[in-house]
Amino acid sequence: MSNLKYISLFIILLFIGIACTNLDEVWYSAVTPETFFKTEKDVNAALYRPFTHARWYVENDRWRLQEYPADQFAITTKGPHWYNGGENYRYHYHQWTVNDGWIWGTWRGTLMGVALALDTKQDLQNLDYSKVKLTEEDKASHLMQLQTLIAFFYLRGLDYFGGLPIFTSNEGENIPRSSDKETFEHVENLLKEALPKLPKKQQGEAEEGALKQAAAAAMLAQLYFNAEAYIGEDHFDECATICQDIIDGEYGYYELDDDWFGPHDFYNNKSPEIIWSTPSEFNKLQYNWFYADFYHYETYKYFGLDGGANNGAHLQPSRKPTGEIYTEFKLGKPFEKFDNEDLRKKPYIYRGSGKYEGMFLVGRQESPYGITRGTQEYKGEVIYFVDRVARFKKIGIEAPDTASLRSTMADGEENTGIRLVKVPQPNLADENLRNGADNPVIRLAEIYYMLAECKMRAGDKKTAANLINQVRARNFANREDPNPVTADNLDKYRMIDEWGIEFLGEGRRRTDLIRWNMFVTESWWDHKPSNSTHLCRFPVPQQAISGNNALQQNPGYE
């Protein structure tokens, strides 16, 4: 990292499109803020670079590490496709290794995010803002946003790996890992210092990706919320206090969206529920990484779009091959956890002009725009997505009947599993809306649920139920919930189910299971518990250790 400053400056030059043709004559090690930053545009270009990295970071492999080792999603082998050298199996069965790419990408991406934000922060710190016609208030906001972003990367890294190398400048290399506690305290201190110096969101203000007070407060609440898993300490009371303050408007104006789709739709930057999101624009910084993974090769016809997908990921099954709901385990079964009257449980259909209904591709895949037909086992047939995993086409060939079919990660077909459409897709007539939805990283519903869980753990189940029900109500016609949470039915399984229902596919499931001590102790579809607590942390990648012999491996992976 000793040369990161100069590498980052070169990246920034490329990013804003003003790299010189005489690069051999420019010594970037001699660049100073006064010579590089000439205008507000230059400052913003540098500021946006680490935020661009954050947009990438909250997607892709970080999402995969949260969801595929947990109980709601899977990538089954479908005929000859998606074995992927056993990678998908390793995560589902908790058999990952120190050489797995998702883990290396996440370690590297975490520290790269720290480096980019730290580099920019140090340069802007030394800049006279008046020379670029900006104010000291602008400078304070920029610096504290970058500090909060550094805290965010360390917070996520702590969740994945435990203690990390703590960098406070661009100098130094081969730095050893700090302890879990030291990393926890580093995140805590960064956020506490930044929080009061950040701006507050005003009523009616759109969310455009900037970090404000409530975002820093929410990250601090997240740190305390999971403190038992991180450092073995109970900080639920501190979390509850912060969550209540956010709800009460102490850190800016936020309120729950009236509609279930509001925090996710094409215009979700206007939702009063969004605390922090990463922007997405058509043909620019697209929030589209999931499209290829989730949807069938010909789902684009159902959507009325162009461009196929890879037919990989889907919800884990709620039902056995025979159609019976699994009763052998309590976790998982994500589609069946939604009440039948839940508006989200409808099949996804785009209605035009930015309006849509439903959140799943389920059942017969025929829409007003087209039909999804099979290309593999069901070639030419209309695809019917089922909430089951089995090779039904093998009946009469390798199995006498449905009851004889196996249901494991190796037994998928091209129509296996229900597909999530949390991020809406328009048709070609409204293609300008495609990938217009921003990625909500923190939203107010999470604050309600964190406070609810804290209240539940403190013995106040009535208040906990009321907080959850305030969010649940919008998911039903006329806000009439057929199965509200009550003090009597709220236990740890109902709580973890509520997290799974509201935040399905939002890249947090592993963390929630770990907090409830369920990640390595509970069963779900085709997954038996190992009771190996070291699996609650991922290993330090071998590539990282090979490049820095000061790094120590996590226990259990030596």
Side-chain angles (χ1 to χ4, degrees):
M1 287 188 64
S2 58
N3 296 319
L4 275 173
K5 176 182 178 63
Y6 312 127
I7 294 171
S8 296
L9 285 169
F10 181 69
I11 290 172
I12 291 166
L13 284 169
L14 293 178
F15 177 68
I16 62 176
I18 59 171
C20 302
T21 55
N22 298 323
L23 288 180
D24 56 327
E25 299 177 7
V26 179
W27 294 89
Y28 288 101
S29 60
V31 171
T32 64
E34 289 73 20
T35 58
F36 178 69
F37 298 107
K38 298 293 189 182
T39 67
E40 179 181 354
K41 181 179 178 181
D42 298 333
V43 172
N44 287 336
L47 181 66
Y48 295 160
R49 178 61 186 96
F51 279 88
T52 303
H53 183 79
R55 183 207 64 83
W56 165 85
Y57 183 83
V58 297
E59 304 170 359
N60 300 291
D61 291 352
R62 271 59 55 200
W63 188 97
R64 296 180 181 114
L65 289 185
Q66 282 285 11
E67 299 292 357
Y68 292 136
D71 66 326
Q72 295 188 309
F73 292 89
I75 305 177
T76 53
T77 296
K78 302 170 185 65
H81 303 290
W82 285 105
Y83 176 67
N84 279 19
E87 180 179 46
N88 304 323
Y89 295 12
R90 289 198 298 276
Y91 286 101
H92 185 80
Y93 299 131
H94 292 189
Q95 296 171 351
W96 46 79
T97 74
V98 297
N99 295 309
D100 275 318
W102 296 351
I103 296 173
W104 163 238
T106 297
W107 174 275
R108 180 173 176 269
T110 300
L111 293 181
M112 185 182 295
V114 171
L116 287 168
L118 184 60
D119 178 67
T120 304
K121 181 173 182 282
Q122 291 183 322
D123 277 342
L124 295 184
Q125 213 159 15
N126 295 324
L127 175 66
D128 182 351
Y129 263 50
S130 66
K131 292 185 177 180
V132 291
K133 298 182 179 179
L134 291 171
T135 68
E136 286 302 306
E137 289 75 15
D138 293 325
K139 182 174 184 177
S141 174
H142 292 171
L143 294 178
M144 289 303 101
Q145 285 190 64
L146 290 164
Q147 181 160 313
T148 302
L149 197 57
I150 293 167
F152 168 75
F153 287 119
Y154 272 121
L155 173 59
R156 300 311 305 146
L158 175 65
D159 188 275
Y160 289 122
F161 301 105
L164 295 168
I166 293 178
F167 294 92
T168 57
S169 74
N170 291 315
E171 303 304 319
E173 51 189 313
N174 292 340
I175 295 177
R177 297 173 68 189
S178 295
S179 68
D180 300 345
K181 178 72 170 178
E182 289 167 338
T183 305
F184 181 97
E185 290 176 344
H186 184 58
V187 175
E188 182 181 37
N189 291 335
L190 288 172
L191 292 172
K192 282 186 172 180
E193 180 185 2
L195 200 160
K197 301 175 184 177
L198 290 167
K200 291 183 180 181
K201 180 184 175 183
Q202 304 301 314
Q203 185 171 359
E205 187 177 358
E207 168 54 40
E208 302 294 353
L211 286 163
K212 297 184 173 66
Q213 279 194 14
M219 291 178 201
L220 190 57
Q222 292 169 342
L223 181 72
Y224 291 145
F225 193 49
N226 294 288
E228 278 192 339
Y230 296 160
I231 57 172
E233 296 179 7
D234 181 336
H235 287 274
F236 289 110
D237 287 346
E238 293 97 317
C239 175
T241 298
I242 296 171
C243 289
Q244 189 64 65
D245 286 344
I246 294 173
I247 292 171
D248 291 342
E250 294 295 323
Y251 300 112
Y253 181 86
Y254 302 89
E255 61 181 7
L256 293 173
D257 204 295
D258 290 335
D259 301 304
W260 68 265
F261 50 79
H264 309 287
D265 71 9
F266 303 104
Y267 311 103
N268 64 344
N269 63 315
K270 299 178 182 178
S271 172
E273 184 170 320
I274 301 297
I275 292 176
W276 182 42
S277 63
T278 56
S280 174
E281 296 178 52
F282 181 52
N283 282 337
K284 204 169 183 182
L285 300 177
Q286 295 179 359
Y287 177 26
N288 66 350
W289 67 272
F290 54 85
Y291 185 95
D293 285 4
F294 272 96
Y295 304 133
H296 187 273
Y297 313 110
E298 296 205 346
T299 289
Y300 71 92
K301 295 179 179 178
Y302 180 93
F303 287 144
L305 291 169
D306 53 12
N310 300 329
N311 199 30
H314 54 82
L315 299 188
Q316 289 184 24
S318 305
R319 296 176 180 271
K320 301 176 182 180
T322 57
E324 302 167 271
I325 296 176
Y326 284 107
T327 58
E328 296 88 336
F329 45 84
K330 294 184 177 181
L331 296 185
K333 300 174 282 188
F335 189 66
E336 283 298 324
K337 295 291 173 67
F338 284 79
D339 288 287
N340 288 334
E341 295 179 35
D342 194 318
L343 298 172
R344 297 169 295 182
K345 202 173 185 180
K346 293 181 179 182
Y348 176 83
I349 293 290
Y350 182 67
R351 296 301 186 189
S353 301
K355 305 295 184 183
Y356 62 96
E357 64 182 42
M359 203 171 74
F360 299 100
L361 298 183
V362 54
R364 182 180 174 87
Q365 293 303 284
E366 183 174 2
S367 78
Y369 313 111
I371 299 174
T372 301
R373 296 188 184 274
T375 62
Q376 306 295 315
E377 301 95 339
Y378 296 86
K379 187 172 183 178
E381 300 179 43
V382 178
I383 285 293
Y384 194 101
F385 285 130
V386 296
D387 196 13
R388 296 180 280 175
V389 173
R391 295 194 171 183
F392 295 98
K393 284 291 188 179
K394 297 296 184 181
I395 295 175
I397 302 173
E398 296 180 3
D401 52 32
T402 305
S404 303
L405 291 173
R406 191 178 65 171
S407 183
T408 73
M409 286 286 289
D411 299 311
E413 293 182 317
E414 66 175 310
N415 69 337
T416 289
I418 292 168
R419 314 305 168 92
L420 178 66
V421 192
K422 201 147 197 180
V423 182
Q425 303 296 323
N427 59 12
L428 284 176
D430 289 334
E431 191 178 16
N432 63 308
L433 295 176
R434 194 175 184 182
N435 305 316
D438 294 342
N439 187 350
V441 183
I442 305 172
R443 54 192 180 94
L444 189 61
E446 179 185 357
I447 307 304
Y448 272 75
Y449 275 48
M450 282 199 290
L451 181 56
E453 187 174 315
C454 291
K455 294 292 185 182
M456 174 189 173
R457 289 174 179 271
D460 187 0
K461 290 187 176 182
K462 183 177 180 180
T463 299
N466 178 60
L467 287 161
I468 297 170
N469 289 334
Q470 288 182 61
V471 180
R472 278 181 60 93
R474 65 187 179 190
N475 303 313
F476 302 94
N478 301 315
R479 301 180 68 85
E480 295 177 1
D481 186 346
N483 183 28
V485 180
T486 67
D488 292 332
N489 66 26
L490 183 58
D491 61 10
K492 66 178 183 178
Y493 291 106
R494 179 68 189 256
M495 187 74 239
I496 202 69
D497 282 350
E498 292 300 328
W499 277 110
I501 293 166
E502 177 61 29
F503 296 92
L504 179 67
E506 295 191 39
R508 59 170 301 126
R509 187 60 173 175
R510 167 188 157 274
T511 299
D512 291 332
L513 293 179
I514 290 172
R515 188 178 61 258
W516 277 106
N517 192 30
M518 295 181 177
F519 187 61
V520 297
T521 62
E522 294 273 350
S523 297
W524 49 86
W525 174 76
D526 196 29
H527 178 93
K528 300 296 182 184
S530 67
N531 293 300
S532 299
T533 56
H534 77 278
L535 295 170
C536 294
R537 300 273 174 82
F538 290 110
V540 179
Q542 184 57 48
Q543 283 179 268
I545 293 176
S546 298
N548 179 0
N549 56 19
L551 295 176
Q552 290 188 339
Q553 185 55 271
N554 277 330
Y557 294 106
E558 294 89 348

